[in-house]
Amino acid sequence: MTSLVQQAPAWSVLVAVPLVLCAAVLAGSLDAVLDPRGELPLRARLLRPVYEASRSLLVQRRSTTAPDRLLWAVGVVTPLLVAVLMAQVVPLGFAVVSDLGVGLVWFNAMDVLLWAGWWLAGWGPNSVYSLIGGYRFLAQALAYELPLMFALTAPAVAASSLSVPQIVAAQQGRWFIVQMPLAAVVFAAAVAAFAAWGPFAHPVGQDIAGGLLVEQSGPARLLLRWGQYALLVVGSAMTVALFLGGGAGPLLPPWLWTLLKSAAVLAVLLAMRHRMPVWRPDRLMRLAWLVVLPLVLAQLLVVSVLAAAGGGS
């Protein structure tokens, strides 16, 4: 199958980093606009990321007793770093930074790195509430990871490839969300889960004074917040590539279609915050393993049968 998505020049690696950072800042503005509790005028909401960044850089840093500073620093930078690494295989329009033959595996492997990153962000400060937040994320990860893996497998089976550009090319006639809507929903929910966002924000819950964020201050807190937004942005763009036809669309250029579709998915993910209850990991695990996982496997079986019969792509 001829791929529509072409590998971008090598210098695009340097462009991808500031692009992800800018997208994370814009996601912060969109989150402020969609915040149902907000009473500020629209202009103040749009500039909230600038205000938050300025305050984080100027505020006095919090200190704890006998922290593990190295592991703390590693945990703080991991979410943002993982988002940048994930973005290397996510197409923008019909161009991708790295056309890996196993791009889907790369994306999933980067997601698993978050297990260590979030836990280290909780372990490093040597604080009880922060550490509880880290363990809460691990419990949450046990719930969402298997459904996420099988949700990723469905488009790979339909396209007979682990390459993200090949998966985009396989959707020329029909977007995969039509064939596998459950996998698309599960993947989008997993994006919110590995970003510790919305109903999956138990690791940063207020009942433990902010959990993973309680001891984070100054640039460290800013990096973790940007990491959350960057993960949501990259996860939304990956949802578009896997299930919404990538940059396919009429009239507009492919890169603009990718941005518009990604913004729509991102808006849905951001809107979940403050509008849905936060799920405890034990309840989430019961739902994920007893209900969602069997349904995703059934979805995968149907996709496999269609692919074997020649109707998968």
Side-chain angles (χ1 to χ4, degrees):
M1 181 182 299
T2 304
S3 175
L4 296 173
V5 182
Q6 303 298 320
Q7 180 159 330
W11 52 261
S12 61
V13 176
L14 302 177
V15 177
V17 177
L19 194 61
V20 170
L21 290 175
C22 290
V25 174
L26 292 176
S29 295
L30 183 58
D31 179 36
V33 171
L34 295 174
D35 190 344
R37 306 170 308 167
E39 298 178 353
L40 297 174
L42 179 61
R43 182 179 178 182
R45 293 192 185 199
L46 290 172
L47 293 176
R48 194 173 78 176
V50 178
Y51 168 74
E52 294 287 348
S54 303
R55 187 179 66 172
S56 297
L57 293 175
L58 295 176
V59 73
Q60 184 176 2
R61 297 200 61 177
R62 187 190 300 271
S63 60
T64 58
T65 304
D68 191 327
R69 297 190 184 280
L70 176 59
L71 296 186
W72 190 352
V74 171
V76 164
V77 302
T78 296
L80 185 56
L81 178 62
V82 165
V84 171
L85 292 173
M86 284 177 168
Q88 306 306 308
V89 296
V90 179
L92 175 60
F94 289 152
V96 64
V97 173
S98 180
D99 185 8
L100 289 179
V102 290
L104 212 57
V105 178
W106 172 268
F107 187 91
N108 195 203
M110 295 303 103
D111 151 53
V112 174
L113 278 182
L114 287 170
W115 290 44
W118 284 119
W119 186 82
L120 289 176
W123 167 269
N126 191 30
S127 166
V128 174
Y129 287 155
S130 179
L131 185 58
I132 291 174
Y135 279 115
R136 281 185 176 183
F137 183 83
L138 292 184
Q140 180 166 286
L142 287 174
Y144 78 74
E145 192 62 44
L146 271 181
L148 167 62
M149 291 173 64
F150 286 110
L152 281 171
T153 305
V157 170
S160 301
S161 175
L162 292 170
S163 166
V164 180
Q166 291 292 339
I167 292 173
V168 172
Q171 300 176 70
Q172 292 182 57
R174 180 178 55 193
W175 294 358
F176 281 165
I177 194 171
V178 177
Q179 183 180 342
M180 50 190 89
L182 180 62
V185 172
V186 170
F187 178 79
V191 170
F194 65 58
W197 188 263
F200 309 99
H202 206 229
V204 294
Q206 293 303 314
D207 59 321
I208 49 174
L212 285 169
L213 298 177
V214 63
E215 304 296 352
Q216 313 295 344
S217 60
R221 189 181 184 88
L222 185 63
L223 281 173
L224 279 178
R225 279 299 190 196
W226 280 3
Q228 282 185 293
Y229 286 126
L231 288 171
L232 291 171
V233 168
V234 175
S236 299
M238 193 61 163
T239 306
V240 170
L242 297 182
F243 301 103
L244 295 174
L251 302 178
L252 302 177
W255 63 268
L256 187 52
W257 270 116
T258 299
L259 292 182
L260 291 175
K261 293 176 186 178
S262 300
V265 176
L266 178 63
V268 172
L269 294 177
L270 292 174
M272 291 196 304
R273 190 184 186 196
H274 306 307
R275 289 179 173 84
M276 296 182 67
V278 177
W279 293 338
R280 280 180 9 207
D282 58 326
R283 294 179 178 176
L284 180 62
M285 191 174 299
R286 190 177 301 115
L287 175 68
W289 284 59
L290 298 181
V291 179
V292 177
L293 184 57
L295 289 176
V296 172
L297 287 172
Q299 171 92 90
L300 181 58
L301 177 62
V302 172
V303 171
S304 301
V305 171
L306 290 175
S313 61

